Amino acid sequence: MTSKLQAKVVWGSRVVTVGGNAPVRIQSMTNTDTVDAIGTAIQVKELALAGSEMVRITVNTPEAAAAVPYIREQLDRMGIDVPLIGDFHYNGHTLLTQYPDCAKALSKYRINPGNVGKGEKRDKQFGQMIEAAMRWDKPVRIGVNWGSLDQELLASMMDANAGRTEPWDGKKVMIEALIASALGSATEAVRLGMNPAQILLSTKVSGLQDLVSVYQELSKRCDYPLHLGLTEAGMGTKGTVASSAALAVLLQQGIGDTIRVSLTPAPGEARTQEVVVASEILQSLGFRHFSPSVTACPGCGRTTSTTFQELTQQIDNFLRAQMPVWKTKYAGVESMKVAVMGCIVNGPGESKHADIGISLPGTGEAPAAPVFIDGAKAMTLRGEHIAEEFQVVVENYIAKRYGTNNQTEVTA
C-alpha cells in the first residue's frame, strides 16, 4: 500500500498487480508433497476458490521441479488461472537452471537470501536465480526469515555492534540484519539487471511486536512492495489472533501489499482456513470485500434455542460456497450485509441496518421471524422451515439486486 513500485504476477490472461495503488492481495501456500501433481493441483484449486490470489508451492527436489509443469497443466484444465509461486531454498539455482519448464510454469519465485549458499557460492547462486527470473520475465520475492537469517551477515553486524560506544541490544541488531539482508539482496538483483518493479520484499519473524518493528523500519527505506506474514504463527486461536493483531497494526498504517496467514492446521482441518482468516482481516478493516458479511449476536439467556446459531452457520457457509459462482455473475455481491439475530432486543434494529436480515424469536417470544430487506420489513416467516425459507429469500434478493443489468465478470 505504501510502495511506489508495482509488480505484476501473471499467468495467461490473469494479471495480479501488487503494490502501488493495487489492493492488498492474499497469498497462501500448499502443504502437499509437490511431487504429487494431482494432489497439489487439487489443494491449489481449493485455496484459489477460497480467495487466494496467488498460491506458493514448495520446489525442493528435482522431482518436485519436474512436477510443476504438470501441476500448472492440471490447473489450466480445471479453469483455475491462479498464479503459482515457487518456494526455493538451498538448491533453487540448480532447479531453475536445469528445469526450464518449471521456471517457465511458475509466475513468481521466492528466494530466501539466507539459504542460497555460503561464502563465495552465495553471490553466484543468487545470481543464477535472478538470471532465471530475468530470462523468463518473472517477479521475485526476496523473503528473509529470522529462522534462516544469513549467519555471516548477522555475525558481521554483531561484531560491528560490539564496537559501538553504546551497543544496541541483540534484538535490534537482528532486526537491522533482516532489513540489511533484504535490501542488500534487492540491490544486488538490480545490479545484475533486474527491473526494480519486479522485486518484492519480506522480512518475517514470529513475534508480533518484532514484526511490527521490522516492517515499520523497512517501509521507510524502500519503495518495493512488501509481503506481510507472521511466520510460524501457530495453530487455531493462537495463530489466528496473533496474525490478525500483527497484520492489522501494519495494514492500518498503510504498510503491506500482500499478506499470508501462516496457520498450522489442526488434524483434519482444511488448508483453506488460512485464506479465510486473511480475507476476514482485510474485510474487517474495510480494505476489501470477498464475501457477504453476516452479522450475528453472540447469544444470551434470551436465546436458549440454537436455531439462530444454526441458521447463522448455514447462511455463512452458503454465502462462502456460492461466491466463486456469484462473483462472475453478480458484481458487488461481496459487499452485501446479512443479519441473523436471535431475539427482539437488537434483532430488528440490526436487521434494518443490513441489506437483508432476519430477527428470530428468542425465549418466550412469539414464534415469528420478521425479515427486513433494504431497511424495511418485507415479510414474517413462521413454522419449522424458517432456515430454508430465509435462504431462498437471500437467493432471490441477490438475483434481483445484483443481477439486473449487472451481468459483468469480476476479475482481480
Side-chain angles (χ1 to χ4, degrees):
M1 294 174 66
T2 56
S3 63
K4 295 178 183 178
L5 296 172
Q6 186 176 79
K8 292 184 177 180
V9 185
V10 180
W11 182 257
S13 61
R14 177 73 177 271
V15 179
V16 179
T17 53
V18 178
N21 295 321
V24 179
R25 302 298 189 181
I26 294 177
Q27 186 182 131
S28 60
M29 186 173 185
T30 59
N31 61 356
T32 55
D33 182 352
T34 306
V35 176
D36 177 8
I38 299 298
T40 300
I42 290 172
Q43 189 174 87
V44 171
K45 177 182 178 180
E46 293 170 350
L47 292 166
L49 292 179
S52 184
E53 293 161 293
M54 293 172 279
V55 178
R56 183 156 48 111
I57 61 176
T58 298
V59 187
N60 59 335
T61 64
E63 293 78 13
V68 170
Y70 295 101
I71 295 170
R72 182 71 268 173
E73 181 181 333
Q74 291 299 319
L75 291 170
D76 292 343
R77 287 179 177 176
M78 293 187 288
I80 303 299
D81 59 355
V82 64
L84 291 178
I85 302 170
D87 193 61
F88 294 98
H89 298 271
Y90 309 112
N91 60 353
H93 61 291
T94 299
L95 299 179
L96 285 171
T97 301
Q98 295 183 359
Y99 293 86
D101 287 346
C102 166
K104 183 178 179 181
L106 294 169
S107 296
K108 177 182 167 188
Y109 310 152
R110 184 277 174 111
I111 303 174
N112 184 339
N115 291 336
V116 296
K118 300 183 182 301
E120 295 180 356
K121 292 182 178 181
R122 182 191 182 282
D123 289 345
K124 179 182 178 181
Q125 294 175 179
F126 178 79
Q128 287 178 292
M129 299 182 76
I130 296 300
E131 287 170 6
M134 291 190 293
R135 182 181 309 121
W136 298 106
D137 193 25
K138 308 293 183 179
V140 166
R141 172 162 68 92
I142 296 173
V144 184
N145 191 304
W146 75 348
S148 52
L149 183 58
D150 184 337
Q151 293 302 300
E152 293 178 7
L153 173 63
L154 179 60
S156 174
M157 296 185 70
M158 285 290 191
D159 289 342
N161 184 58
R164 295 178 186 272
T165 304
E166 296 183 7
W168 297 344
D169 63 52
K171 183 169 289 186
K172 185 174 180 179
V173 176
M174 179 170 283
I175 287 176
E176 188 63 25
L178 286 163
I179 294 171
S181 179
L183 293 180
S185 298
T187 298
E188 176 63 11
V190 172
R191 189 191 70 79
L192 292 169
M194 189 155 196
N195 181 351
Q198 291 285 75
I199 298 173
L200 304 90
L201 301 181
S202 66
T203 48
K204 288 189 174 184
V205 298
S206 57
L208 190 158
Q209 297 294 354
D210 296 325
L211 188 82
V212 171
S213 295
V214 70
Y215 273 99
Q216 285 177 332
E217 188 61 30
L218 178 61
S219 68
K220 296 175 184 177
R221 301 194 201 177
C222 73
D223 292 329
Y224 296 113
L226 303 180
H227 171 73
L228 305 184
L230 190 71
T231 190
E232 292 95 36
M235 180 181 288
T237 303
K238 186 268 180 186
T240 299
V241 172
S243 291
S244 301
L247 298 187
V249 169
L250 291 167
L251 291 168
Q252 194 65 34
Q253 295 176 11
I255 299 171
D257 300 283
T258 66
I259 64 171
R260 183 195 172 201
V261 175
S262 301
L263 294 181
T264 303
E269 182 180 52
R271 186 66 166 182
T272 53
Q273 184 62 21
E274 67 175 54
V275 181
V276 173
V277 174
S279 63
E280 289 290 355
I281 292 172
L282 295 179
Q283 188 150 324
S284 295
L285 289 170
F287 288 177
R288 298 185 66 184
H289 294 281
F290 298 93
S291 178
S293 62
V294 178
T295 300
C297 62
C300 66
R302 290 175 175 270
T303 56
T304 54
S305 168
T306 61
T307 302
F308 89 95
Q309 296 169 326
E310 293 164 356
L311 180 56
T312 300
Q313 184 180 50
Q314 180 178 331
I315 291 298
D316 194 54
N317 291 341
F318 170 69
L319 295 175
R320 289 187 183 280
Q322 291 297 109
M323 273 309 296
V325 175
W326 284 346
K327 71 180 182 180
T328 66
K329 297 173 61 178
Y330 305 127
V333 67
E334 65 276 1
S335 63
M336 185 179 72
K337 295 180 180 180
V338 180
V340 180
M341 303 300 292
C343 77
I344 199 171
V345 174
N346 292 316
E350 287 285 1
S351 296
K352 290 177 183 178
H353 289 307
D355 293 307
I356 181 168
I358 186 170
S359 179
L360 295 166
T363 303
E365 295 178 13
V371 174
F372 296 83
I373 296 178
D374 293 330
K377 183 177 177 181
M379 65 191 75
T380 299
L381 303 181
R382 294 182 172 84
E384 299 180 355
H385 303 290
I386 289 177
E388 292 79 3
E389 292 174 12
F390 182 64
Q391 184 168 306
V392 172
V393 172
V394 171
E395 287 186 90
N396 291 337
Y397 176 79
I398 290 172
K400 181 178 179 180
R401 175 173 176 180
Y402 299 98
T404 303
N405 299 319
N406 206 11
Q407 301 293 327
T408 57
E409 185 169 351
V410 181
T411 57

